[in-house]
Amino acid sequence: MGNHLTLGRRAFGGLLAGLALTAVSRVPEALAAAPDGAGAVEDMLSALTASRALSFTAESSFGASVSKDRLRTLGNRASVVFQRPDSLFIVFGGGGQPDVQMLISGGEATLLRLSLASKTVLKLAPENGPAFAVPGLFIPFLGLLSETAGAEFFGDISSVTALAQGAPDQPETTTLAAVMASRFTGEVWVNKSTSLPVRTTGTWFGAKGDVAASAAVNFTGWSTEPPVAGAFAVKGLAEAKTVELDGLGL
């Protein structure tokens, strides 16, 4: 019995040694296949800032940190057209939400509520942080459209951690990275073929840290084609009466 026990221990030791060799031999392969989170985020920021025009659809869901008595969100769905340096047109609505249009140009945001034929004009406050640059409103994707998207959308990035990578057989593989920065903490999914964001989940902070709001935003329909003629000529804007923001009934 003693001999059998001794042989069993030796066999077990050999098995452990074999497993260790197998594990070591697989390490380079695993490292080579690991997602490059920092590279994905850098590529995303480069793609965004290099594009002279962008259009996309954003579908948002907002966390408990967002409440109407504190921050308005203008609805969950937004169709966005943007052209550098500062022309931005957004149509909010869908699913029975208020049909609100926003035009940003020349340091001002003009909101038009078609059903009320009313508008309000707000001076942008970029010092609040891009997500809160339109006073009283939380628009989590605005920083992506900046010339310095890394600083405007995230703030000073302190760390990027790769979390996962999409399977090779997916139609559009993605890289998931966790980002921590002065104005944002959360996760970003980046399309590997286009280097454009697919989904962002996190909390955005005001520049002073006194405002924070959370959301998850899905991006679809990205295009870098120039906007169609008249894309920023908002119909009914000139005839709309000017009211305070509360007068839009949002």
Side-chain angles (χ1 to χ4, degrees), residues 87-143:
S87 295
L88 174 68
F89 180 53
I90 312 173
V91 176
F92 295 92
Q97 298 173 11
D99 186 9
V100 178
Q101 300 183 7
M102 174 184 286
L103 178 66
I104 295 180
S105 182
E108 292 183 339
T110 301
L111 281 79
L112 172 66
R113 182 82 182 270
L114 290 173
S115 59
L116 298 179
S118 299
K119 64 183 178 184
T120 187
V121 180
L122 300 169
K123 291 285 186 182
L124 296 182
E127 65 274 11
N128 292 344
F132 311 98
V134 183
L137 298 173
F138 172 46
I139 307 175
F141 53 79
L142 278 187

Side-chain angles (χ1 to χ4, degrees), residues 2-237:
N3 287 337
H4 284 295
L5 181 61
T6 302
L7 289 172
R9 285 176 177 171
R10 287 175 179 172
F12 183 63
L15 176 62
L16 288 179
L19 289 175
L21 286 173
T22 301
V24 170
S25 66
R26 288 180 179 175
V27 166
E29 179 184 348
L31 290 177
D36 179 6
V41 171
E42 289 175 1
D43 290 345
M44 180 190 78
L45 297 176
S46 296
L48 289 167
T49 55
S51 301
R52 306 313 301 168
L54 290 166
S55 61
F56 58 90
T57 297
E59 297 271 0
S60 304
S61 57
F62 301 96
S65 58
V66 181
S67 57
K68 279 193 172 183
D69 60 344
R70 188 164 164 268
L71 289 168
R72 295 176 176 87
T73 60
L74 299 180
N76 295 339
R77 180 181 172 84
S79 298
V80 183
V81 179
F82 175 70
Q83 188 171 31
R84 300 198 187 281
D86 65 353
S87 295
L88 174 68
F89 180 53
I90 312 173
V91 176
F92 295 92
Q97 298 173 11
D99 186 9
V100 178
Q101 300 183 7
M102 174 184 286
L103 178 66
I104 295 180
S105 182
E108 292 183 339
T110 301
L111 281 79
L112 172 66
R113 182 82 182 270
L114 290 173
S115 59
L116 298 179
S118 299
K119 64 183 178 184
T120 187
V121 180
L122 300 169
K123 291 285 186 182
L124 296 182
E127 65 274 11
N128 292 344
F132 311 98
V134 183
L137 298 173
F138 172 46
I139 307 175
F141 53 79
L142 278 187
L144 287 177
L145 304 172
S146 168
E147 291 278 8
T148 53
E152 295 295 335
F153 187 72
F154 294 118
D156 298 322
I157 296 177
S158 56
S159 69
V160 177
T161 304
L163 296 179
Q165 187 163 285
D169 58 349
Q170 287 181 338
E172 294 181 345
T173 56
T174 57
T175 297
L176 171 61
V179 180
M180 293 195 67
S182 62
R183 293 188 179 180
F184 174 85
T185 180
E187 298 177 351
V188 181
W189 284 255
V190 181
N191 185 312
K192 290 177 66 178
S193 61
T194 65
S195 293
L196 291 170
V198 176
R199 177 176 170 85
T200 298
T201 303
T203 299
W204 285 259
F205 300 89
K208 298 178 181 178
D210 55 347
V211 180
S214 299
V217 188
N218 291 312
F219 299 98
T220 56
W222 282 101
S223 174
T224 57
E225 294 296 318
V228 299
F232 303 102
V234 182
K235 295 180 179 179
L237 188 61

